[in-house]
């Protein structure tokens, strides 16, 4: 169990149903996969579309340009925290540029306690990014630091548990005769 957790995809909300974690890389490289530490609470039926987006500078929120996508099916998420690997459409990312991992979920019409939670760390272990929540494609007023429930209190200014896999292109060599 992570020391902290942040809720997103709240029932009946329009402004806080998505989550995002900003990150940057030190070298130009292709991104191929993202791993996220997640669980569901209640009978959530909506899939999560994971997106790699640009940054909206000065607003601590994702931009609207989508560079890569992947999907987590609702049925694959359990009620205990676990790492979920999300193969992404390969995209080459520039160094020293802020990007966002966005967890985009359709509007939640459910009532009661049905939502997703993402494992998080209140210690700010990843100094180059931050986790926020809001509505993807919404204006800056819909995105804010996500209150996080941790052992010993509630915090903001934390990071989600995430892994980014980079490197390597698959390729094809053709029209080569050997022998």
């Amino acid at each position: 169990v992570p020391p902290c957790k942040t809720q997103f995809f709240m029932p009946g909300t329009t402004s806080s149903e998505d989550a995002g974690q900003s990150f940057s890389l030190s070298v130009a490289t292709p991104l191929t996969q993202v791993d996220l530490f997640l669980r569901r609470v209640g009978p959530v039926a909506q899939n999560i579309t994971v997106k790699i987006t640009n940054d909206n500078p000065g607003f601590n929120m994702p931009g609207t340009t989508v560079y890569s996508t992947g999907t987590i099916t609702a049925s694959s998420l359990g009620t205990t925290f676990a790492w979920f690997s999300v193969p992404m459409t390969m995209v080459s990312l520039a160094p020293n540029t802020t990007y966002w991992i966005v967890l985009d979920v359709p509007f939640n019409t459910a009532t009661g306690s049905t939502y997703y939670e993402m494992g998080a760390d209140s210690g700010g272990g990843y100094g180059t990014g931050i986790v926020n929540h809001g509505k993807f494609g919404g204006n800056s007023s819909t995105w804010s630091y996500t209150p996080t429930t941790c052992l010993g209190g509630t915090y903001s200014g934390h990071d989600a548990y995430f892994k980014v896999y980079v490197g390597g292109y698959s390729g094809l060599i053709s029209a080569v005769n050997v022998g």
Side-chain angles (χ1 to χ4, degrees), residues 54-158:
N54 65 319
D55 182 46
N56 190 342
F59 291 100
N60 275 328
M61 64 180 272
T64 57
T65 302
V66 177
Y67 300 116
S68 179
T69 60
T71 302
I72 300 173
T73 59
S75 61
S76 69
L77 291 171
T79 57
T80 57
F81 278 102
W83 283 102
F84 289 89
S85 296
V86 185
M88 303 295 291
T89 53
M90 192 177 296
V91 62
S92 192
L93 300 179
N96 305 313
T97 302
T98 300
Y99 296 99
W100 285 81
I101 301 167
V102 176
L103 288 74
D104 188 12
V105 187
F107 180 69
N108 185 359
T109 57
T111 58
S113 295
T114 59
Y115 51 89
Y116 293 119
E117 285 185 328
M118 185 167 33
D121 178 3
S122 65
Y126 179 67
T128 311
I130 193 159
V131 69
N132 274 348
H133 75 277
K135 177 63 185 142
F136 179 72
N139 63 39
S140 61
S141 66
T142 68
W143 283 87
S144 64
Y145 296 115
T146 307
T148 302
T149 305
C150 301
L151 300 173
T154 299
Y155 305 89
S156 61
H158 58 280

